[in-house]
Amino acid sequence: MRIPLDRQSLIPLYKQIENYLRDNILSGSLEADTRLPATRAMAKDLGVSRITVQNAYMDLESEGLIYNREGSGAYVMPALSLPKRGVKSETAWPLWQQDLKTDVLSPRFSPQVLNPSHPDLIAFTGVGDPQHFPLRDFYKALQTVIRTEGIDALVYGEFDGGYPPLRETIAHVLASQGIQADPGQVLITSGSQQALSLVCQVLLKPGDAIVVEDPTYNFALELFRSLDFKIVGVPVDKGGMQVELLESLLQQRHPSLIYTIPNFQNPTGACLSGVRRRQLVALADCYDVPILEDDFAGDLRYDGRAQPALKALDTVGNVIYVGTFSKMLMPGLRIGYLVADGPVFDALVDCKRVHDLTTSNLLQRTLNVYVSVGRYQSHLRRSSRIYRQRRDAMLDAIREHLPEDVLVYPPDGGLFIWMRLPGGLSATDLLSLALQKGVSYAPGAWFTLDPQDGERYLRLNFATQPLERIRKGIRRLGAALRRCMVPQV
Ligand SMILES: Cc1ncc(COP(=O)(O)O)c(C=O)c1O
């Protein structure tokens, strides 16, 4: 038997033999009643002492994985009597596993929504509509890259910011939105989620305070909680974060970062007003606090005039701007970016390199081909047209099928409609009924600092379903709501 042994390892040789045999027994590679080599033969084969092998066999026998037949040697225990992988009792795991903190992901995050069982579920969750992913064009771009760039596209890419032509393309796109970014200040990340994580790791330590809108993007909250930050919420209204309330918080809580989603905020769809944008940038400057501007869907505007990005208003290097190709293009690309000025940029580049070396070189190059031949702009125009119709269809269906006292916040763009249920109703409770009727949404409690505050709210994604299913889904939601509102006897 060939057992790979690492003689430099701190794990004793007998443990390595034992681990190897255990893995093979539990995975079934060593079948029941297989005779293991005699200890003397195994010791000779592996170049270890016989006592080393005996120790390994003794441990496996005491775990019930092997048994001894008088005078014949050691055999693998039949499967029925073997402990199964993954069904160990809690105390059977090594101590470090037993002590592991596993409750980072909030328990209010109901897995039902992610793994629904209804055969025809209309999910008002997720991001864009996968049916509209530009599959063919992206495939062509991928072919072009492999044909023309070959091996260069398949080695590690640049470690110091990402693929230079893509950084330039992003800087051009941003310039068209009023953000003057030097390509050298653009860092490509693995989705914008990684950009958020990098900024947190570089600027904050456990126990530091971070200001967020309340409610806010649930996975940002999960990230901040997992890093043990003190999360300070500022309420949101139609004009975005209520910046008027911020100054006293800056004075009392001394946050190390302000995280904001100024455009079509997740989950409320609110846009930060122009006046508040200027106030926010000025306050951050005055109190020397960096701003993390998450512009996850700023391009998806259907009505009204675009407001300047905070980054465009920042003259001192206080704002770190984060963008993504997930919402306008495809989340599976996992390509996002950040723009930062000053020493923090180098710190972010280093942090990124330390944690995942680079974002996929092949995909960065493919994305660059796709974006620079202008297909991206036409895809964006098309998506905006379709999503706008869907938003309108959902608002109409809500008016038609939901009770009048449901309050909706119509957004000017983005992906989400935020809704308040009539008094006393809980969106978390409603969800199980809605799932039975075949429709799902994200309950408000996922997004608020105190889950109780979000109970009456829910977030509907209008972008993922075609018009007919939007109407059908809202009808189903109406039916679930009416069931919920019937007084229980
Ligand atoms: C507000 C916001 N920021 C960031 C992200 C992360 O997106 P990605 O990592 O796919 O770029 C999301 C995803 O839904 C989001 O809603």
Side-chain angles (χ1 to χ4, degrees), residues 125-235:
T125 52
V127 281
D129 181 357
Q131 298 306 321
H132 287 287
F133 290 170
L135 202 59
R136 195 192 305 250
D137 284 344
F138 202 76
Y139 178 58
K140 277 191 210 149
L142 186 61
Q143 281 181 318
T144 305
V145 170
I146 293 187
R147 197 179 57 245
T148 57
E149 303 177 33
I151 301 292
D152 287 347
L154 297 171
V155 295
Y156 282 125
E158 285 73 8
F159 286 79
D160 56 355
Y163 180 53
L166 179 61
R167 297 167 76 192
E168 264 176 51
T169 304
I170 289 171
H172 276 131
V173 173
L174 290 176
S176 70
Q177 298 163 4
I179 302 173
Q180 298 309 323
D182 184 315
Q185 301 306 125
V186 176
L187 167 61
I188 311 287
T189 55
S190 301
S192 55
Q193 188 73 21
Q194 185 185 46
L196 305 185
S197 165
L198 295 175
V199 172
C200 287
Q201 289 172 75
V202 165
L203 295 182
L204 283 83
K205 53 184 187 326
D208 283 351
I210 181 167
V211 166
V212 303
E213 285 134 5
D214 187 12
T216 191
Y217 165 48
N218 52 328
F219 287 120
L221 277 181
E222 303 271 331
L223 171 70
F224 305 151
R225 287 195 185 107
S226 75
L227 294 169
D228 273 334
F229 299 160
K230 295 202 176 81
I231 307 176
V232 180
V234 182

Side-chain angles (χ1 to χ4, degrees), residues 207-211 229-233 245-257 287 289 449:
D208 283 351
I210 181 167
V211 166
F229 299 160
K230 295 202 176 81
I231 307 176
V232 180
L245 306 177
L246 184 62
E247 185 157 18
S248 61
L249 292 174
L250 295 177
Q251 288 165 351
Q252 289 158 26
R253 305 295 299 269
H254 307 292
S256 305
L257 186 66
Y287 286 87
V289 187
L449 267 60

Side-chain angles (χ1 to χ4, degrees), residues 127 190-194 196 217 219 259 261 266 294 296 322-327 331 334-336 416 459:
V127 281
S190 301
S192 55
Q193 188 73 21
Q194 185 185 46
L196 305 185
Y217 165 48
F219 287 120
Y259 169 66
I261 311 168
N266 184 0
D294 182 351
F296 79 115
V322 168
T324 179
F325 289 95
S326 287
K327 317 299 161 205
R334 307 308 303 129
I335 297 188
F416 307 122
R459 189 196 72 183

